[in-house]
Amino acid sequence: ESKQLGKNTFSYYSKELHEEALRKTSILTGLKDAIEQESFDLHFQPKVNLSNGKVESAEALLRWSRDNPSGFMPDEFIPILESTELIHEIGKWVIDEACRVCKKWHDAGFDQLCISVNVSSVQFMRNSFKTHVFNALKKYDLAPEFLEIELTEHVLIQHNATITAQLKSLKDLGIQLSIDDFVTGYSNLSYLINFKVDTIKLDKSFILELNTSKNHFAVVKAVIQMAHILNLNVVAEGVETTAVRNILVNLKCDFAQGYLWSKAVPEKQFIDSLESFNKVLTVS
Ligand code: C2E
Ligand code: MG
Ligand code: MG
Ligand code: MG
């Protein structure tokens, strides 16, 4: 009987795998068309300074906004792009578009706003990445300190000469470096000392549980203390409630992002809503 069960289990999984492969191939075809037809947009989510309630920055998040009938989100399509050359093409566009929008905001008088861009490890491992950054900053005449790149720990734990050299030249240029999804990856923290990291970004899986789980609270508290000893800023992502926001203020977390203020929105809506984001912040 157990043999029977094993057999069923096997065919069940291979069917699943087959469907998964088909699904991936069909998304990939859609993605190729989408790149050709420029069906992507960047949306922007405010990052709030918790000490004064002001929006000081925006995270650019990729959206496949046209001809995407299944409504695929980045968590689903970015890994597929990463398995092909397309990630480099789209990644280059993301950097360019983020710099363009940031410069536009500056020209409109919001001249202190910074912009963060997510960069996947395959993208960062390529030598030409820094050239894309240099070119975009130059093209829009944007000062490097207004641009932040968000990398995950996966990038920094690899002892790879390209990565080290690339990080050094980007830091020498003056861009900001943030570690995304912090604490979901590795526990070897030596890269915090070996590289010029500016900011740690606490993963939302910790923040969402902050007011319901003692253990999550303890980890968040410890990370904030450690970061401050190392002179790093801490951003909490996934702040959805005032209860969580208040805990973060008490823990002296530096910045926050989350649906409490806004989801990621198009560039015009972002600028038009700046005042209202600030209002949410000042209500305790
Ligand atoms: P991430 O960089 O960690 O971004 C945070 C994700 O959490 C975003 O999902 C954001 O919309 C979502 N989020 C923000 N506030 C809240 C909240 O209060 N509650 C909850 N539950 N979620 C919140 P999104 O936009 O779907 O992006 C998912 C991931 O895809 C990103 O995670 C990032 O790793 C990747 N990604 C997005 N855009 C790009 C891009 O342009 N390039 C690359 N390489 N990766 C990107
Ligand atoms: Mg991010
Ligand atoms: Mg994150
Ligand atoms: Mg994430």
Side-chain angles (χ1 to χ4, degrees):
E1 207 196 76
S2 71
K3 210 174 172 186
Q4 185 65 39
L5 184 72
K7 204 174 166 196
N8 284 341
T9 310
F10 174 75
S11 62
Y12 171 74
Y13 280 117
S14 63
K15 186 164 176 269
E16 287 261 290
L17 283 176
H18 180 66
E19 278 171 5
E20 181 57 29
L22 281 181
R23 187 178 150 75
K24 214 183 130 172
T25 311
S26 102
I27 300 178
L28 188 56
T29 309
L31 282 166
K32 283 180 182 155
D33 292 344
I35 289 174
E36 237 162 65
Q37 262 127 73
E38 301 179 9
S39 300
F40 291 97
D41 280 310
L42 290 184
H43 283 189
F44 302 89
Q45 186 180 39
K47 182 165 90 188
V48 172
N49 183 333
L50 285 174
S51 69
N52 63 15
K54 291 270 183 299
V55 175
E56 296 187 353
S57 185
E59 179 175 6
L61 292 158
L62 188 60
R63 295 290 178 262
W64 176 359
S65 29
R66 289 172 295 282
D67 308 316
N68 178 4
S70 305
F72 291 118
M73 292 297 282
D75 276 333
E76 195 150 23
F77 67 76
I78 297 264
I80 297 175
L81 291 173
E82 283 173 344
S83 68
T84 72
E85 281 292 302
L86 298 174
I87 191 64
H88 301 287
E89 194 175 331
I90 197 84
K92 186 178 168 187
W93 177 81
V94 168
I95 297 273
D96 188 276
E97 179 68 1
C99 291
R100 184 188 69 78
V101 170
C102 189
K103 183 62 178 182
K104 194 172 160 191
W105 290 341
H106 286 197
D107 290 345
F110 306 98
D111 58 0
Q112 295 304 308
L113 278 176
C114 297
I115 198 116
S116 296
V117 173
N118 294 285
V119 178
S120 61
S121 52
V122 270
Q123 217 186 321
F124 197 81
M125 274 184 257
R126 210 167 263 185
N127 214 356
S128 53
F129 175 76
K130 64 172 181 304
T131 315
H132 298 159
V133 174
F134 296 149
N135 290 347
L137 291 169
K138 207 169 144 202
K139 177 171 171 191
Y140 299 105
D141 187 26
L142 183 68
E145 57 266 29
F146 291 108
L147 177 67
E148 177 176 67
I149 59 169
E150 299 192 4
L151 297 176
T152 60
E153 291 169 275
H154 301 256
V155 184
L156 299 186
I157 55 136
Q158 310 186 37
H159 298 279
N160 172 305
T162 308
I163 291 176
T164 307
Q166 187 133 258
L167 261 176
K168 189 177 182 308
S169 43
L170 288 167
K171 285 306 297 174
D172 288 349
L173 182 72
I175 72 153
Q176 304 286 309
L177 172 62
S178 174
I179 309 303
D180 208 349
D181 304 343
F182 191 76
V183 117
T184 60
Y186 300 83
S187 48
N188 179 348
L189 300 177
S190 56
Y191 68 84
L192 290 178
I193 294 162
N194 297 334
F195 294 112
K196 289 184 180 161
V197 174
D198 301 288
T199 301
I200 282 173
K201 217 165 165 183
L202 276 160
D203 192 70
K204 58 176 179 286
S205 59
F206 282 84
I207 303 305
L208 291 166
E209 301 289 331
L210 196 55
N211 59 338
T212 51
S213 153
K214 265 192 202 158
N215 290 341
H216 288 79
F217 175 86
V219 170
V220 168
K221 184 177 175 178
V223 168
I224 293 172
Q225 286 175 347
M226 175 194 70
H228 287 166
I229 292 168
L230 294 172
N231 249 319
L232 306 173
N233 280 318
V234 183
V235 183
E237 66 171 34
V239 179
E240 297 185 352
T241 62
T242 34
V244 165
R245 198 223 28 188
N246 292 343
I247 294 171
L248 290 165
V249 170
N250 283 331
L251 291 176
K252 306 254 183 311
C253 184
D254 306 283
F255 296 93
Q257 283 176 246
Y259 299 160
L260 178 61
W261 293 278
S262 176
K263 63 174 189 173
V265 295
E267 58 170 282
K268 180 160 187 329
Q269 195 179 336
F270 181 90
I271 276 302
D272 292 346
S273 311
L274 264 184
E275 281 305 307
S276 68
F277 298 149
N278 288 336
K279 229 176 275 160
V280 181
L281 322 175
T282 42
V283 197
S284 205

